[in-house]
Amino acid sequence: MLRRSMLHAMSGFAALAALPPAFGQNVRRRLTFSWPTNAGPLHPHLYSPNQMYAQSMLYEPLVRYVEGGKILPALATAWEMEEDGRAWRFTLRPGVRFTDGTPFDAAAAVANVNAVLGNRARHAWLELVNQIDGAEAIDPGTVRLRLKGPYYPALLELALPRPLRFVSPAALRPDGSIAAPVGTGPWVLAETAHGQHDRFRRNEQYWGEKPVLEEVLVRVLGDSNARALALESGEIDLTYGTDQLDADTFRRFAADPRFTTAISPPIGTRMLALNSARFPTDELAVREAIAQGIDRAALVRHILLDTEPAAETLFARNFPYTDLGLRAPAFDRAAATARLDAAGWRLPAGGRVRSKGGKELALDLCFIGADALQKAIGEAVQGDLARIGIAVRLVGEDASTYYGRQRSGEFGMIFGDSWGAPYDPHAFMSSMRAPSHADYQAQRGLPMKSEIDRRIGAVLSITEEARRAEEYRWLLTTLHEQAVYFPVSFFTNKVVHRPALGRVPFGDMRTDIPFDRIGRG
């Protein structure tokens, strides 16, 4: 983690002693944050408009994920694999209650799992939901999860912010809806004002270490400029996230001695997918020339302003099974040009675009038109590839049309992000088998696509660690060598706050904001 230390900043809330007493008391009591939208109805099993950071404040999983793929206890204190991976037995944490006073026990856990399974089609994107055969209460403190077959990422997917988290059975209706957002987590939702704010209060009966803060007020601020102004004026205390501030604004705060800034380790990958089933990127030599012809370092330096590290691989090395020593080809315009020459792509005298067999070397780069960052990266890529004789047409469209292209494969290159921890690599790669995903469409023309899909399916059921690692090595090396992705950078979470707030840690998942740990030593 990169952190710029303030010269006279003191750790924790000791710094508050230097502030006026009223201000210090206010910071102890309430932190003001901002988010583009309201938190939503906060159903733990459902998706938009529910905001994941807020779902994680109220609802807890059986187990939790920490960076690097390690699994630690949460609502379960112990677990064991049974029947060669076809079942998992969990020992539940004793004495835990929902904020309405209802005990968290095996019956409550089973009721929540059954509610998710009752809406199985809605959750089909998550392979664990497809694999669960059922749940049973062995006794009040033990629950057993039966699977259709071995599925090694079961614990990883139980740690996700949704859908397998737990609401009070007293609030869970027969149709799967909830009467109120009642969890076991360190926070409770106290108030929602539509378009204005959400107010969270500390759960005073929380089973674990209680937050230092008593209250988190989340103001609704729709754009990064408004967020930056609110931070400068003191209307909010903290910004946190991947894109809550643009890179230039973050750099400005990093140079301002009134603020502390920090950048997390990599939490996912920003990339371009190249369509192996569509002319002209159906040719490996063209994809390899693109990989050599784009100046990745310049994109990171001039557009991302060094707020994200350059990415040479599909996943960062701090994810499970991904530290394989793979390297991207170095930016080399002369080598890219020679590669295209050798493949028969000729640049006519006085011309700017190569051609072969009467067809020009031209392709579409699709992006969301309202996304200024994608547009800026796209323009830089367009300029780089023009210098080696590849014409790039920038196609900026509304989000619905853009996602339609991802599903249909109507693109030459298209922007994409990996899903981050704990989805990477297993869940992101599992989705590569679905025709509705851009990754499937991008890989569809590869001669070994069927083998890639078969091996992805196989690796998910391998319970032997060494065999699993070898399968991932083959998969990630093959995709790397086929140049079907151009990784741009590893995106990061970024935090800005005043030093008096003390230590602001990063969550282990992209979507988690650890308000409960702010102010601790």
Side-chain angles (χ1 to χ4, degrees), residues 472-493:
Y472 274 118
R473 178 177 291 276
W474 185 91
L475 286 162
L476 293 173
T477 301
T478 299
L479 291 172
H480 187 82
E481 291 174 346
Q482 290 298 312
V484 76
Y485 296 100
F486 181 85
V488 175
S489 62
F490 296 126
F491 54 79
T492 56
N493 273 329

Side-chain angles (χ1 to χ4, degrees), residues 91-162:
T91 301
L92 303 183
R93 188 177 296 279
V96 176
R97 290 185 175 272
F98 293 95
T99 54
D100 63 0
T102 302
F104 173 75
D105 56 16
V110 169
N112 276 263
V113 172
N114 287 341
V116 172
L117 297 182
N119 197 12
R120 199 188 291 262
R122 182 74 173 82
H123 310 295
W125 67 273
L126 186 63
E127 186 60 24
L128 178 58
V129 175
N130 299 324
Q131 291 293 328
I132 294 175
D133 194 41
E136 57 185 308
I138 305 300
D139 57 50
T142 311
V143 66
R144 188 168 183 263
L145 199 63
R146 302 188 312 276
L147 305 181
K148 297 173 183 175
Y151 184 63
Y152 95 82
L155 296 179
L156 292 169
E157 295 188 4
L158 285 170
L160 295 176
R162 59 194 185 193

Side-chain angles (χ1 to χ4, degrees), residues 128-202:
L128 178 58
V129 175
N130 299 324
Q131 291 293 328
I132 294 175
D133 194 41
E136 57 185 308
I138 305 300
D139 57 50
T142 311
V143 66
R144 188 168 183 263
L145 199 63
R146 302 188 312 276
L147 305 181
K148 297 173 183 175
Y151 184 63
Y152 95 82
L155 296 179
L156 292 169
E157 295 188 4
L158 285 170
L160 295 176
R162 59 194 185 193
L164 289 162
R165 294 207 179 188
F166 303 94
V167 66
S168 170
L172 186 59
R173 295 176 175 135
D175 64 357
S177 65
I178 61 172
V182 182
T184 62
W187 303 98
V188 296
L189 179 65
E191 178 190 16
T192 291
H194 185 69
Q196 298 179 45
H197 65 258
D198 297 290
R199 189 185 308 275
F200 298 88
R201 291 208 176 98
R202 182 171 63 192

